[in-house]
Amino acid sequence: MRTLARALPFAAAAFFAAGPAFAEDAKVDTGDAAWMLTSTALVLLMTIPGLALFYAGMVRKKNVLATMAQSFAITALVSVAWAVVGYSLAFTDGNAYVGDLSRLFLNGIATNWDKPFTLGSGDAAVAMTIPESVFLMFQMTFAIITPALITGAFADRVKFSALVVFSLLWTVLVYSPVAHWVWQPAGWIAQLGALDFAGGTVVHINAGVAGLVAALVLGKRVGYGHDNMAPYNLAFAVIGAAMLWVGWFGFNAGSALGASGGRAGMAMLVTQLAAAAATLAWLFGEWMTKGKPSVLGAISGAVAGLVAITPASGYVLPGAAMIIGVVAGLAGFWGATALKHWIGYDDSLDAFGVHGVCGIVGALLTGVFAYGPLSASTAVPAGLSGSFDQFVTQAEAVVAVIAYSAVMTFILLKVTDVVVGLRVSAEDEREGLDVTQHGERIA
Amino acid sequence: MKLVMAIIKPFKLDEVRDALTPLGVQGLTVTEVKGFGRQKGQTEIYRGAEYQVSFLPKLKIEVAVPSAIADAVVEAIATTARSDKIGDGKVFVFDLERAVRIRTGEADDAAL
C-alpha cells in the first residue's frame, strides 16, 4: 500500500525513474538489499566485539570482563527493546517529536514484508529499495551502539543492574525520540533541514553528552588522580579500534540505504580519509606536545575522525573530509586531555571527550562543507550545500540534542539511582566489578 | 650447599643461563617480578593522565648449587647480567640446609 508519494506530482520520466520503489509490484533491489544486510552486520560488529574490546582494553584488569559485559548486555537488551517499542517510537509517523505505537512489537511487519519500504508519508517520504526488515535491523544496530558508547563514561564504577535499567530507559526515552527528530521525515529537526547522514547528533552527540552527565552524576572513581589507572591491555583496545574503523564503513556507507548511485561509495571514501587524517592529527599533536606518539593516541584519533565524519559522510567530498579529520583529531586530543582535566570530571574512557566533542565538530562542519550534488534528489534537485544558514541550522540541531540528552540523562540517572542504586560501594569498586558484579575473573 | 638468588634485567636471562651451564649448574628457577632500586621508575602517559610507574619488571632467578661452585656461579651471574647501566640488579647468596629430589629421594648434593 505504500506509494512513493513525492513522485506523484512529477512528470512521467521522473515517475518511471523512481519506479522500483513504486506501488504493489515494486521489487526489492538485490544489490541495495545485499549491501544493507552487509552494513547491518558491520555495524553490529562495531559494538560486539569492536567497542567491547576498545573499552575493555582501556580499563584496569579487575574491570575487563564487566566492561565487555556492558556492551554485550546492551546489545541483547536494546535488540529486544527496539522490537518492542523503540523502533515504533523512532520511525513511525507520530508527530514532530516522537513516533506512534503502530509498530509496537513490530506489529504489521508481516504486511509487505517482501516489498520495498517507504519511510514516512506525504511529500517528505523516503522511498527505499530495501524491505522494512532490513531497515529496522540496520537501525537497531545504531540503537545498540549508542547506549554502549555511554558506558565509557561510567566504566569502573557503575552497578550492572543500574546499567540495565538506565540503558533500557535511555534507549526508549532518549535515543528513539532523537532518532525520530532527525531521521524520520516528520521529525522537527528533519523538517528544520539539519543534515545528519549517519548519526552525528543522534548517536555521537547524544551519547557523548549523556556520558558527560553520567560522569558528573556518578562522580569520580575511587583513587582518581592518585592511583595508577593505567590500561590493563591496550592491545585489546587497538584490535577494538580497528574493528570500529572497519565496521564504520557499514555505519556511514550503509546510511546511503543502498549501493545504487555514488553516494555509498563516496561515504566510504570520506570515512577512510577522515579517520586517517584524524589519526595523524592526534598522533602528531601528542608527539609535539607530550613528547611521544602513543598507540592509545593513534587509535583515539581514528575514532575521533570516524565520529566527526559520521554526520558529514554522504554530504562532503574527500578534501573536506580530510579537513574534518584534522580538526576532529586535534579537538578529540584536546577534549580527552585538556578539557577533561580542566573541568575535572572523570569520564573514564572519554565518551564525551571523543564522541561528544568530535560529534559537535562534525555536525557543525557538515553545514560548512556539504556539497550539493551528493544529496540531489527529485524533491531537492540542487541538493544540500554548505552555507552560513546551513551552519546555523546545524548548530540549532546540535544545541537541541545536547539540551534534551543532558536533561533526560540526568533525570533517568536519578530514577535509576532510586530504583536500584547507580554506583557500587567503594569496597566493591576497589575489589573490581568483574568479581563483585559478575562473580568471574579473566585470570 | 648454597642458594643463589639474583634479580636481573629480563633480557639478560639467556646469557646468564648460558654462562651457568658450563659450571655444572643442572637447574634454574625463574620468576617474573617487579621492584625498584636506584633505577626508580618510568613515566607512562595515557590520554594525558601521567602515572609514575615505580615498580619495574625484572626476573628473579634461583639456583641451588654445591658450596664449591657458589662463588663461580655468583661471579658468572654478576659478569653476564651486567650492562653497566642503572637497574642491572643484585645477587644474594643463602646457606642451604637440605635438598631432596622428589622423584628419586636423593638428598643434598646428589639432588642438585
Side-chain angles (χ1 to χ4, degrees):
Chain A
M1 294 304 286
R2 294 178 180 280
T3 55
L4 180 57
R6 70 177 176 195
L8 293 178
F10 291 92
F15 184 86
F16 287 117
F22 184 71
E24 295 293 317
D25 58 345
K27 284 206 163 50
V28 166
D29 182 289
T30 51
D32 286 345
W35 168 238
M36 293 312 295
L37 289 162
T38 307
S39 291
T40 302
L42 282 169
V43 182
L44 185 59
L45 183 87
M46 288 173 68
T47 308
I48 48 169
L51 190 70
L53 280 165
F54 183 58
Y55 277 172
M58 286 192 276
V59 299
R60 290 162 289 172
K61 186 179 181 184
K62 61 189 178 183
N63 298 324
V64 168
L65 273 181
T67 304
M68 287 183 159
Q70 292 171 354
S71 286
F72 210 91
I74 284 173
T75 299
L77 189 68
V78 173
S79 296
V80 174
W82 193 245
V84 171
V85 65
Y87 173 68
S88 191
L89 291 178
F91 287 103
T92 56
D93 286 349
N95 55 41
Y97 302 102
V98 67
D100 53 49
L101 296 176
S102 59
R103 278 284 188 262
L104 202 64
F105 289 96
L106 300 184
N107 175 47
I109 195 77
T111 313
N112 290 328
W113 68 276
D114 58 347
K115 296 284 188 293
F117 175 59
T118 297
L119 177 64
S121 56
D123 289 347
V126 177
M128 299 175 196
T129 54
I130 58 172
E132 187 174 7
S133 58
V134 178
F135 175 72
L136 88 82
M137 176 70 203
F138 179 66
Q139 290 297 338
M140 182 195 288
T141 59
F142 282 60
I144 288 167
I145 198 167
T146 309
L149 289 171
I150 303 172
T151 64
F154 48 51
D156 288 353
R157 58 203 188 281
V158 74
K159 273 186 178 177
F160 185 73
S161 55
L163 175 97
V164 169
V165 172
F166 172 75
S167 298
L168 187 61
L169 293 172
W170 196 88
T171 297
V172 174
L173 299 174
V174 183
Y175 183 83
S176 285
V178 173
H180 183 84
W181 298 358
V182 178
W183 285 336
Q184 219 286 345
W188 74 273
I189 288 181
Q191 297 281 342
L192 197 65
L195 309 178
D196 186 354
F197 193 67
T201 50
V202 180
V203 175
H204 296 290
I205 296 177
N206 208 358
V209 169
L212 175 61
V213 173
L216 291 168
V217 171
L218 263 81
K220 295 173 184 177
R221 286 169 287 179
V222 169
Y224 179 71
H226 174 262
D227 292 358
N228 186 335
M229 295 187 174
Y232 166 65
N233 190 342
L234 276 183
F236 281 170
V238 175
I239 297 167
M243 286 180 163
L244 282 168
W245 189 330
V246 173
W248 227 292
F249 294 134
F251 204 83
N252 288 357
S255 289
L257 297 175
S260 315
R263 211 174 184 190
M266 189 63 85
M268 182 183 238
L269 174 61
V270 298
T271 299
Q272 177 73 5
L273 289 173
T279 302
L280 296 174
W282 190 310
L283 199 66
F284 284 101
E286 188 175 40
W287 204 343
M288 285 188 285
T289 56
K290 309 278 181 189
K292 283 185 178 147
S294 72
V295 177
L296 180 58
I299 62 176
S300 304
V303 173
L306 291 162
V307 167
I309 197 64
T310 294
S313 60
Y315 290 110
V316 302
L317 294 173
M322 286 189 273
I323 296 171
I324 290 172
V326 169
V327 175
L330 297 176
F333 177 52
W334 172 79
T337 57
L339 177 69
K340 180 167 73 168
H341 298 122
W342 176 49
I343 301 182
Y345 56 91
D346 180 13
D347 176 359
S348 318
L349 312 180
D350 298 302
F352 178 72
V354 174
H355 295 274
V357 169
C358 297
I360 292 168
V361 165
L364 295 177
L365 292 182
T366 302
V368 174
F369 292 120
Y371 174 69
L374 291 179
S375 53
S377 62
T378 47
V380 191
L384 300 151
S385 297
S387 65
F388 183 72
D389 284 349
Q390 188 62 50
F391 179 82
V392 172
T393 305
Q394 297 297 105
E396 288 171 18
V398 167
V399 170
V401 173
I402 290 175
Y404 184 72
S405 180
V407 171
M408 287 300 291
T409 300
F410 181 80
I411 293 170
L412 296 181
L413 285 169
K414 290 297 180 189
V415 169
T416 305
D417 200 15
V418 170
V419 179
V420 292
L422 275 177
R423 191 168 169 158
V424 298
S425 68
E427 192 182 335
D428 284 358
E429 194 179 328
R430 286 194 196 90
E431 183 70 16
L433 302 186
D434 290 4
V435 158
T436 61
Q437 300 299 297
H438 304 285
E440 296 163 295
R441 283 185 201 277
I442 56 169
Chain B
M1 294 176 294
K2 301 284 185 187
L3 177 70
V4 179
M5 182 183 92
I7 307 294
I8 64 169
K9 285 184 169 172
F11 73 95
K12 285 290 188 183
L13 178 63
D14 284 340
E15 273 183 71
V16 169
R17 190 207 153 139
D18 290 345
L20 294 184
T21 312
L23 301 176
V25 171
Q26 302 280 338
L28 183 71
T29 303
V30 182
T31 315
E32 291 182 4
V33 295
K34 286 181 175 182
F36 78 95
R38 293 185 189 171
Q39 190 184 4
K40 302 292 185 273
Q42 291 168 338
T43 303
E44 294 177 6
I45 306 180
Y46 300 95
R47 283 184 181 165
E50 286 195 29
Y51 302 115
Q52 292 295 328
V53 181
S54 45
F55 298 105
L56 296 171
K58 300 286 175 191
L59 291 184
K60 180 171 78 175
I61 57 176
E62 287 159 305
V63 50
V65 295
S67 299
I69 65 165
D71 286 346
V73 165
V74 171
E75 179 66 23
I77 294 172
T79 310
T80 52
R82 181 186 301 158
S83 68
D84 287 328
K85 295 201 177 68
I86 199 161
D88 275 348
K90 289 189 173 68
V91 184
F92 306 98
V93 182
F94 304 83
D95 285 326
L96 198 58
E97 283 185 19
R98 283 190 67 192
V100 176
R101 173 170 283 122
I102 292 173
R103 175 171 59 85
T104 60
E106 289 167 285
D108 298 338
D109 278 0
L112 297 179

